[in-house]
Amino acid sequence: MSVSDGVAETSEAQLRAALDAMPHKVWLVRPEGPPLYYNRAMRAFGGDALNLPDRASREKALIHADDLPSVRSAAASAIADPKDFELELRLRDPAGNWPWHRLTVSMMRSGRRVDAWLVTATDIDDLRRAMVAAKESGDKLHLTAETAQLGIFSLDLRTGERTWSPQMNAIFGLAPGAPPPRDILAIVHPEDRERVSTWLVATLNPDGPATVSSEHRILRPDGSIRWVLVKGGVFFGSEGAERIAM
């Protein structure tokens, strides 16, 4: 074994260890071939379904039947025109439940060739329930958010009034009752700041999607770093964007 081979093996072992430590479900798969790797969270979640002999069988066992057409359509589009993509779908857990997940699929390239897809699945079931509750009742939304430990934030773009739930303070490491930060980008991790800024601008497009989401890191006052998933929408009036709710 050469020195370069040893370095490559060490790097791969470190990558696997890092992926196994992640709370997200992560796997590598060839666009039109077999899976290459599942991290610890995905192995625990998928169980025996991951050992099924072909992709169609694994998809049928893991993905809700109502979501399979959109998944297969997105995959076919990505094979024809390789681009990163996201979608929301229900995955079967070991208990037979179907929690909602957000899938982020990134192209792993060697030059212009796509060697594999890196797939990350984030459980958003509690968040989906809270969004449904928002449509039914504002009071019920706050109760759902408190139970699920979700934070709620809204900003009136005309008056500058901010509403920041107690759960948001806990998530961001702020003292109970502390006012929300005036500059949200200042508490976003520097490596994610440009991406989040672009995302925030995109939310103000009235022709954009009704629901928007971003997964990024934040900096807490104690110096710790925390991943957050932000999901919400912008409400438009006759004069444009009026209120952001997350």
Side-chain angles (χ1 to χ4, degrees), residues 19 22 24-30 37-39 42 55 85 87 89 91 102-108 116-122:
L19 292 176
M22 293 180 64
H24 307 287
K25 305 165 188 73
V26 181
W27 62 97
L28 279 169
V29 62
R30 296 193 186 280
Y37 168 77
Y38 297 106
N39 77 336
M42 187 57 194
R55 177 178 292 186
F85 65 94
L87 70 162
L89 76 168
L91 297 176
R102 183 166 68 95
L103 250 60
T104 301
V105 182
S106 303
M107 305 292 125
M108 308 295 289
W117 292 351
L118 175 65
V119 187
T120 304
T122 304

Side-chain angles (χ1 to χ4, degrees), residues 95-183:
N97 302 310
W98 296 95
W100 281 93
H101 285 71
R102 183 166 68 95
L103 250 60
T104 301
V105 182
S106 303
M107 305 292 125
M108 308 295 289
R109 302 175 183 269
S110 294
R112 294 185 177 181
R113 186 182 73 242
V114 176
D115 291 331
W117 292 351
L118 175 65
V119 187
T120 304
T122 304
D123 189 323
I124 59 167
D125 199 65
D126 286 339
L127 186 58
R128 290 276 303 211
R129 293 176 186 275
M131 294 296 290
V132 170
K135 296 179 181 180
E136 297 175 353
S137 166
D139 291 338
K140 187 177 179 181
L141 170 63
H142 285 275
L143 178 60
T144 304
E146 183 176 355
T147 302
Q149 296 184 326
L150 299 173
I152 301 173
F153 166 74
S154 68
L155 168 63
D156 190 316
L157 295 172
R158 295 172 300 178
T159 66
E161 179 185 0
R162 298 165 184 261
T163 302
W164 184 276
S165 74
Q167 290 77 26
M168 288 287 284
N169 279 37
I171 292 169
F172 283 81
L174 303 175
R182 299 298 302 175
D183 184 2

Side-chain angles (χ1 to χ4, degrees), residues 1-11:
M1 181 180 68
S2 67
V3 173
S4 60
D5 290 338
V7 171
E9 288 181 5
T10 300
S11 298

